[in-house]
Amino acid sequence: MIGFYPSFLVIVLGTLVSAESSLFGIDIDISLPEQLCGSQNIAERKEWGELERAERIDYTNAVLCLQGKPQHLPREEYPGVRNRFDDFVATHINYTLNVHLSGLFLPWHRHFLWLWEKALRDECGYSGYLPYWNWPLWSENLKASPLFDCSDSSLSGDGEHNPDEQNLSGGSITIPRGSGGGCVRCGPFKDMIVHMGPFDRNIVSLTKLPAPGFDYNPHCFNRSLNNFVSSNYDNETIVDRLLAAPNISDFQTVMDYWPARPGGVLGVHGGGHFSLGATLQDLFTSPQDPAFMLHHSMIDRTWSIWQAKDEGHRFALNGTNRILNPPDAPLVTLDMEMEFGVLDRSRSVGEVMDPTGFRYCYSYS
């Protein structure tokens, strides 16, 4: 028995797996019973350094594969989208003002990561799962990490030294510049060209997508490794504080603001972005840095650990569906729908709250 769908419909569709289709102009979502998630079939997402060298190369090869596949978004509407990789960048741009510094940040990015992992596996033959970047392991010396050591099994490394790169101002705190600041010239993503952005970093007054939108603006992939940021905002002490948060509101505060408000600067989330330079620092187009997915995989890992510590946390929500949680924005609920553009149909917040539910069935090492 397959729900209430008659057997002839299943025969017409010719499949006995979950599928989404259209019949006689009517959109149909046929969700067949999922195999229960258990120890025999759960996927394990591993820390980058836990992977064998060949496994790391398999991952970066799959990312390069997506960069070589045609985009799904129409070029006339999205001139900056030049390949399948860029579909994910444009989707992130499109929903940035809803899914950052808001109640949708954690659930939306969880599903975004899963769609990325699924694309690598389904479209590029990747047999592994999404790794994560465990920030504290390498926070004192990013260049020494297997992620950013410029080897062929890394995510590339620092950019060329750029004497014009400036220190960053974070309110009353000055953040020293990183060690690079120029184009990346080593590793799997050597000489990579990114196609969209950059956007203005002042997000306080944003209410709609600003210029340049989806314009085509080819420029080099930039990195500037910054041990000051990583050691101050993504160290073991702050991660422990994140995991010890008594409620979702405190969890979000440590994630987004550190020190805790008022006067918060980067938080754990911003610390990862500002550790790696201009490409990852762009709130809108940050998925153009291949480290983005591993950074957010670590964020999802901390959230899943925090959720699992107390089942009462599993479905805890706080905030609205707009950036900086303005008072007139709708509060996030489990029934609220999240949009993913060309990547997937809309999904409710409630669908994605459990990493062993929906179609996920994954854990972290």
Side-chain angles (χ1 to χ4, degrees):
M1 181 66 69
I2 305 172
F4 62 86
Y5 299 105
S7 58
F8 80 86
L9 180 56
V10 176
I11 293 171
V12 168
L13 293 172
T15 182
L16 288 177
V17 297
S18 179
E20 292 177 15
S21 187
S22 178
L23 189 64
F24 308 121
I26 302 172
D27 288 331
I28 301 170
D29 183 6
I30 301 176
S31 297
L32 306 188
E34 296 293 330
Q35 182 180 359
L36 291 177
C37 183
S39 58
Q40 76 286 355
N41 65 332
I42 194 165
E44 184 179 52
R45 293 178 174 177
K46 295 181 179 180
E47 191 269 323
W48 185 255
E50 293 179 322
L51 299 178
E52 299 290 337
R53 177 177 175 275
E55 292 176 313
R56 296 178 212 159
I57 293 173
D58 284 346
Y59 178 81
T60 55
N61 281 344
V63 176
L64 292 168
C65 165
L66 282 187
Q67 292 181 348
K69 287 191 170 291
Q71 77 276 10
H72 291 184
L73 286 165
R75 181 71 57 81
E76 60 273 15
E77 296 178 48
Y78 298 87
V81 175
R82 299 286 155 150
N83 52 48
R84 186 70 172 125
F85 179 98
D86 286 344
D87 282 338
F88 284 85
V89 179
T91 299
H92 190 266
I93 292 171
N94 213 18
Y95 299 109
T96 285
L97 297 180
N98 298 102
V99 302
H100 295 90
L101 300 167
S102 75
L104 291 181
F105 172 71
L106 294 167
W108 190 90
H109 282 85
R110 171 171 284 173
H111 194 61
F112 186 65
L113 294 182
W114 183 78
L115 292 171
W116 169 261
E117 181 183 77
K118 187 172 186 297
L120 294 177
R121 290 171 60 83
D122 293 352
E123 301 174 39
C124 287
Y126 177 56
S127 60
Y129 297 95
L130 179 63
Y132 63 93
W133 163 21
N134 192 343
W135 317 299
L137 291 181
W138 312 104
S139 62
E140 299 290 337
N141 189 352
L142 291 167
K143 284 185 179 180
S145 78
L147 292 110
F148 308 117
D149 65 5
C150 269
S151 66
D152 62 354
S153 60
S154 70
L155 298 176
S156 289
D158 209 358
E160 294 178 313
H161 180 70
N162 176 10
D164 295 327
E165 185 184 20
Q166 302 295 310
N167 292 338
L168 301 171
S169 176
S172 60
I173 297 176
T174 297
I175 300 172
R177 53 154 292 155
S179 56
C183 304
V184 173
R185 303 298 189 192
C186 61
F189 304 104
K190 173 184 177 181
D191 299 327
M192 187 175 92
I193 299 298
V194 298
H195 300 141
M196 288 173 279
F199 283 80
D200 190 331
R201 293 183 184 175
N202 183 10
I203 62 170
V204 174
S205 60
L206 290 180
T207 58
K208 63 180 181 179
L209 182 65
F214 305 102
D215 291 349
Y216 179 50
N217 180 32
H219 53 288
C220 75
F221 166 38
N222 175 288
R223 282 255 180 87
S224 188
L225 302 186
N226 195 316
N227 293 328
F228 173 87
V229 174
S230 58
S231 61
N232 278 279
Y233 298 101
D234 286 302
N235 59 48
E236 193 69 51
T237 299
I238 300 176
V239 172
D240 288 346
R241 187 179 291 268
L242 181 73
L243 295 176
N247 53 57
I248 187 62
S249 177
D250 283 5
F251 186 90
Q252 291 168 320
T253 297
V254 180
M255 180 66 72
D256 289 327
Y257 303 96
W258 187 259
R261 271 196 270 206
V265 181
L266 290 177
V268 173
H269 172 219
H273 281 270
F274 278 74
S275 292
L276 298 192
T279 299
L280 197 63
Q281 288 169 15
D282 191 317
L283 182 66
F284 292 86
T285 63
S286 49
Q288 292 185 130
D289 186 327
F292 173 94
M293 299 297 178
L294 280 75
H295 173 44
H296 276 265
S297 186
M298 179 63 176
I299 289 172
D300 187 66
R301 177 176 181 260
T302 60
W303 184 35
S304 65
I305 292 171
W306 182 84
Q307 286 181 304
K309 287 174 65 177
D310 179 353
E311 284 301 311
H313 287 152
R314 180 71 76 191
F315 295 98
L317 295 168
N318 176 65
T320 74
N321 68 345
R322 296 223 319 263
I323 195 167
L324 298 174
N325 294 311
D328 60 334
L331 292 174
V332 170
T333 66
L334 293 174
D335 293 331
M336 181 174 281
E337 293 288 309
M338 301 182 294
E339 301 294 330
F340 295 91
V342 72
L343 302 180
D344 194 13
R345 70 167 178 83
S346 63
R347 300 289 177 182
S348 72
V349 172
E351 281 184 273
V352 311
M353 295 296 284
D354 184 353
T356 63
F358 179 58
R359 300 183 185 124
Y360 295 153
C361 195
Y362 67 81
S363 65
Y364 289 93
S365 63

